[in-house]
Amino acid sequence: HASVVGLRSLAVENARSTSTLGPVHQGSGVVITEDDLVLTIGYLILEAEQLQLITADGRELPARLVGYDVATGFGLVQALAPLRIAPAPLGVAEEVAPDEALMVVSGGEDGEVSVAQLLSRRPFAGYWEYMVEGALFTAPARADHSGAGLFNTRGELVGIGSLLVRDALGSNAPPRNGNMFVPLDLLRPILADLRTRGHSQLSQRAWMGVNCIEAEGVVRVVRINSDSPAEVAGLEPGNRIVRIDSTEVKTLQVLWKTL
């Protein structure tokens, strides 16, 4: 799909994300407007100092950060020179049928296209205080999933690549490697805010500054972010989160929703 481009970002010096993501982030993005707005996954542009877009014909163009919405995980950048690339038509993720053939497309000179199958559609709760409704899980798994476009049979964009997962079929099903895509349906209500404010209202919410894991009905803290409310409060790796006020916490989904 010609609308998919490569993306490279260089993080600012001493960025907090460097310890987990490294100083250079590489992935893809999808051109979604005539004025060269590119939709990607937010962690690729986290704390970015420099941004470059790479076209299929090898052009490298500087870009600027427009927004990063931590609630959905979407990132938005804009080319600072004409891309001369037609934007992708936007589809509806909710309308993707289970047996519909999908395309996963990564960008840049080494971009690839492959056929994918939708295995499941369900809420996704991440260990880093993140949760989205209606996440799309596909197979076979692609390693170059970060910011890749998921397209339906009409060539419409329906999702943006986020993760490589082992439970693409669901938590109670046999393990199956696949990818998680953030559904495009989450973009429409927040696109105007992303363009003008850099984030949606949903991103203005309570944060603890922890990474947690869930296993057999127990939620444990595995990492504390420096200078976070969790650190100030004295939380430590290994602590169990039992409840928030009167709500019992046994899953990440309940934890983030209640928070």
Side-chain angles (χ1 to χ4, degrees), residues 46-114:
L46 187 61
E47 299 181 289
E49 181 177 48
Q50 297 179 26
L51 289 168
Q52 284 185 313
L53 300 173
I54 303 100
T55 63
D57 58 6
R59 290 181 295 138
E60 297 190 8
L61 298 92
R64 69 179 182 91
L65 175 65
V66 175
Y68 171 33
D69 189 57
V70 294
T72 60
F74 285 131
L76 200 62
V77 304
Q78 187 167 37
L80 295 176
L83 283 171
R84 300 191 296 275
I85 294 174
L90 306 184
V92 179
E94 192 174 313
E95 295 178 354
V96 175
D99 58 349
E100 183 175 348
L102 302 172
M103 287 192 306
V104 177
V105 186
S106 60
E109 289 184 285
D110 299 324
E112 294 187 5
V113 180
S114 65

Side-chain angles (χ1 to χ4, degrees), residues 150-204:
L150 182 68
F151 294 87
N152 63 19
T153 52
R154 295 182 296 279
E156 298 168 334
L157 180 68
V158 294
I160 292 292
S162 177
L163 295 171
L164 184 68
V165 299
R166 295 193 61 203
D167 61 346
L169 289 170
S171 57
N172 297 321
R176 176 75 182 275
N177 290 338
N179 295 120
M180 188 276 276
F181 287 82
V182 182
L184 194 74
D185 302 1
L186 299 179
L187 177 68
R188 288 183 175 84
I190 68 168
L191 182 55
D193 278 346
L194 267 180
R195 296 192 69 153
T196 58
R197 303 169 57 195
H199 58 82
S200 71
Q201 288 186 337
L202 291 174
S203 291
Q204 296 176 313

Side-chain angles (χ1 to χ4, degrees), residues 178-256:
N179 295 120
M180 188 276 276
F181 287 82
V182 182
L184 194 74
D185 302 1
L186 299 179
L187 177 68
R188 288 183 175 84
I190 68 168
L191 182 55
D193 278 346
L194 267 180
R195 296 192 69 153
T196 58
R197 303 169 57 195
H199 58 82
S200 71
Q201 288 186 337
L202 291 174
S203 291
Q204 296 176 313
R205 63 185 188 189
W207 297 96
M208 291 193 293
V210 295
N211 291 169
C212 295
I213 59 170
E214 164 195 333
E216 298 179 349
V218 174
V219 174
R220 288 191 185 277
V221 177
V222 294
R223 184 174 179 271
I224 305 292
N225 296 332
S226 60
D227 298 324
S228 67
E231 184 180 65
V232 172
L235 268 70
E236 298 179 352
N239 286 166
R240 286 180 58 192
I241 296 181
V242 179
R243 66 179 56 84
I244 296 181
D245 292 336
S246 60
T247 302
E248 189 176 17
V249 172
K250 291 186 176 182
T251 66
L252 290 177
Q253 184 172 339
V254 170
L255 173 59
W256 305 143

